[in-house]
Each structure stands twice: as C-alpha cells, then as structure tokens.
Amino acid sequence: MGGGGPRGGPPAGAPPPELLEDRGVLVPPAAPEALADGIARLLDDRALAASMGAAARAWAWKNLDMEAVTEEHLGMYQRLLAARRGR
C-alpha cells in the first residue's frame, strides 16, 4: 500500500481499515468475476486508480510510520504491564 497503488481483495466480515473504498476495490470472496470487474474498473479509469493509489499512500505514511507503530506497540505493552500489576 505504501507503494502508491490501489489495492483489491475480498472483504472478510468488516473491511479492514486499510482497504476502504477511497483506497481500493473490495470484492466478495470467491468471486473471480467481481475481482476481474474491479481490476477492469481501475484499468479503465486511470484517474480513479491514481486517486486511490494516492489515498492509499497517504494512509500508509500516516498509519504505518515506524515511529507511530512503535509508539502504538509501546502503549499496548505499558497497558498490559499496568493491568498485570493491578491484579
């Protein structure tokens, strides 16, 4: 996703946050025709593909930044330790 290309894939339950409509094409599982239609849609509409790619890149830079991910994990470990100490 950080490479700037739109993504496609099957949703499993709720769509993952990194695959929302403005950043990729969601298709039902085990639906190769729907996947082909989604790919064709992106190939036919290069502006849409570029827009989704840019949105995906922006999301990745914001949410997958090493410092942000490290801070998120550190916070999780701190909460786990605090909960364990509170037993």
Side-chain angles (χ1 to χ4, degrees), residues 44-70:
D44 290 343
D45 189 343
R46 302 307 285 167
L48 176 64
S51 172
M52 286 184 168
R57 182 184 303 114
W59 184 93
W61 276 105
K62 178 182 177 195
N63 294 287
L64 301 179
D65 172 72
M66 185 57 73
E67 186 174 334
V69 171
T70 301

Side-chain angles (χ1 to χ4, degrees), residues 13-80:
E18 63 273 8
L19 268 181
L20 296 177
E21 277 301 317
D22 67 333
R23 290 174 257 152
V25 177
L26 293 175
V27 298
E33 292 169 0
L35 180 59
D37 289 344
I39 292 169
R41 179 177 164 214
L42 293 173
L43 290 173
D44 290 343
D45 189 343
R46 302 307 285 167
L48 176 64
S51 172
M52 286 184 168
R57 182 184 303 114
W59 184 93
W61 276 105
K62 178 182 177 195
N63 294 287
L64 301 179
D65 172 72
M66 185 57 73
E67 186 174 334
V69 171
T70 301
E71 288 296 321
E72 184 178 330
H73 280 86
L74 182 59
M76 179 185 64
Y77 291 133
Q78 289 170 336
R79 288 188 301 278
L80 289 170

